[in-house]
């Protein structure tokens, strides 16, 4: 019996160690409904995970971005991997940004947010395509489609943040939550070298609760360790001033 117990212990120890060192899959719990309502107008940040079919919307509280809500993606197309050619019907992956003129309140797909494909990385690599959106109506031919009810919430927070002084909303799109175990599971993918460029940005937000500042160098995504120097800080101060006067 002692030998059997020792054998079982030897089997369990590696699994236990892996569980202790693995990056958490769900980094945050959503804020309360009451706090969420108060945060309309604060700077926001979006992460999308294809495999989990999840869009996470974050709002800035103090120096951290906290999860406002996780939304189920109704549909996307083309499976895992980046969009490369117009007409391939793939939904993009990478680091994108949204300005106020990219919001489409009168879209044929209810409401829409143009994610800004192609970005600098896409252009330097010769990728083609346009009008890649987060939108409603639950139908996708390369976009990220949400239910209209979910799209209402996402659009409302992005619109309020941009109109309150945030110059652009960062949208980080990943094939999956980029834990070490998920990376290992996908190590034989043809897209693995590309996904290794995305992982530092994923890890940075997980650690710092701030959107990663990712640049492009020689056609590669590169993580800049300095935080974004955009208007989100000023927007946060404006938002706090407005809430304190209510």
């Amino acid at each position: 019996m002692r030998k059997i117990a020792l054998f079982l212990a030897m089997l369990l120890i590696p699994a236990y160690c892996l569980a202790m060192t693995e990056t958490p899959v769900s980094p945050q719990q959503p804020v309360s409904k009451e706090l969420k309502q108060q945060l309309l107008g604060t700077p926001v940040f979006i992460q999308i995970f294809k495999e989990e079919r999840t869009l996470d919307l974050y709002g800035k509280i103090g120096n951290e971005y906290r999860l406002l809500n996780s939304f189920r993606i109704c549909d996307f197309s083309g499976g895992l991997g980046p969009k490369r050619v117009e007409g391939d019907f793939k939904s993009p992956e990478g680091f994108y940004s949204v300005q106020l003129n990219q919001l489409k309140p009168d879209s044929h797909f209810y409401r829409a947010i143009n994610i800004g494909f192609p970005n600098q990385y896409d252009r330097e690599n010769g990728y083609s395509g346009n009008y890649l959106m987060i939108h409603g109506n639950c139908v996708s031919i390369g976009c990220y489609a949400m239910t209209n009810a979910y799209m209402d919430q996402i659009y409302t927070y992005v619109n309020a943040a941009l109109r309150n002084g945030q110059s652009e909303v960062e949208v980080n799109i990943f094939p999956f939550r980029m834990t070490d175990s998920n990376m290992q599971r996908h190590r034989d993918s043809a897209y693995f070298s590309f996904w290794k460029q995305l992982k530092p940005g994923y890890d940075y937000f997980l650690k710092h609760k701030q959107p990663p500042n990712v640049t492009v160098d020689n056609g590669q995504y590169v993580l800049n360790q300095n935080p974004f120097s955009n208007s989100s800080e000023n927007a946060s101060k404006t938002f706090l001033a407005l809430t304190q006067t209510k």
Side-chain angles (χ1 to χ4, degrees):
M1 289 294 293
R2 291 178 61 187
K3 290 183 178 180
I4 294 174
L6 180 60
F7 176 73
L8 290 174
M10 291 175 67
L11 289 177
L12 290 172
I13 286 172
Y16 176 77
C17 292
L18 179 61
M20 292 295 289
T21 58
E22 178 62 285
T23 305
V25 171
S26 182
Q28 297 187 29
Q29 292 297 317
V31 300
S32 67
K33 183 178 180 180
E34 293 75 17
L35 181 56
K36 180 182 173 183
Q37 292 172 343
Q38 296 173 21
L39 290 173
L40 186 63
T42 194
V44 296
F45 169 59
I46 290 173
Q47 287 184 321
I48 290 175
F49 301 97
K50 280 183 174 179
E51 192 170 63
E52 292 81 1
R53 301 179 74 91
T54 299
L55 184 152
D56 288 344
L57 175 67
Y58 295 86
K60 192 173 187 184
I61 304 176
N63 292 321
E64 293 186 350
Y65 280 77
R66 299 276 302 280
L67 184 64
L68 300 180
N69 213 342
S70 287
F71 301 95
R72 175 76 172 174
I73 296 172
C74 192
D75 196 15
F76 69 91
S77 59
L80 303 186
K83 181 176 183 62
R84 291 175 171 169
V85 181
E86 185 169 9
D88 63 5
F89 302 110
K90 288 186 75 71
S91 301
E93 295 172 9
F95 300 97
Y96 297 89
S97 58
V98 173
Q99 298 179 349
L100 190 59
N101 63 1
Q102 291 167 242
L103 304 189
K104 310 294 180 185
D106 55 350
S107 167
H108 293 300
F109 297 93
Y110 188 58
R111 289 180 170 181
I113 299 171
N114 187 327
I115 65 169
F117 182 96
N119 62 12
Q120 182 183 347
Y121 173 91
D122 302 318
R123 292 191 297 270
E124 288 191 12
N125 283 279
Y127 299 165
S128 59
N130 51 36
Y131 305 117
L132 278 302
M133 310 275 182
I134 303 167
H135 61 62
N137 275 12
C138 267
V139 178
S140 172
I141 50 173
C143 299
Y144 291 95
M146 316 297 295
T147 66
N148 289 352
Y150 286 169
M151 193 62 213
D152 266 335
Q153 295 183 54
I154 298 162
Y155 187 97
T156 296
Y157 275 88
V158 171
N159 182 56
L162 292 171
R163 292 189 181 279
N164 198 42
Q166 186 175 1
S167 62
E168 54 188 22
V169 173
E170 301 304 318
V171 180
N172 292 182
I173 306 176
F174 301 101
F176 42 79
R177 294 194 186 274
M178 307 198 84
T179 63
D180 293 339
S181 61
N182 279 343
M183 291 294 288
Q184 180 70 8
R185 182 164 56 88
H186 289 283
R187 67 187 182 279
D188 295 326
S189 170
Y191 304 117
F192 190 70
S193 61
F194 168 71
W195 291 340
K196 287 195 295 184
Q197 297 177 49
L198 305 185
K199 184 167 170 46
Y202 172 86
D203 290 340
Y204 183 91
F205 180 75
L206 204 62
K207 179 179 180 180
H208 298 284
K209 305 297 186 292
Q210 289 277 345
N213 185 358
V214 177
T215 57
V216 178
D217 184 25
N218 291 322
Q220 302 277 304
Y221 282 124
V222 178
L223 176 66
N224 186 340
Q225 292 294 336
N226 296 321
F228 273 109
S229 57
N230 60 19
S231 64
S232 64
E233 187 67 30
N234 291 333
S236 292
K237 292 177 181 178
T238 302
F239 172 76
L240 289 172
L242 288 171
T243 55
Q244 289 169 357
T245 58
K246 289 182 179 179

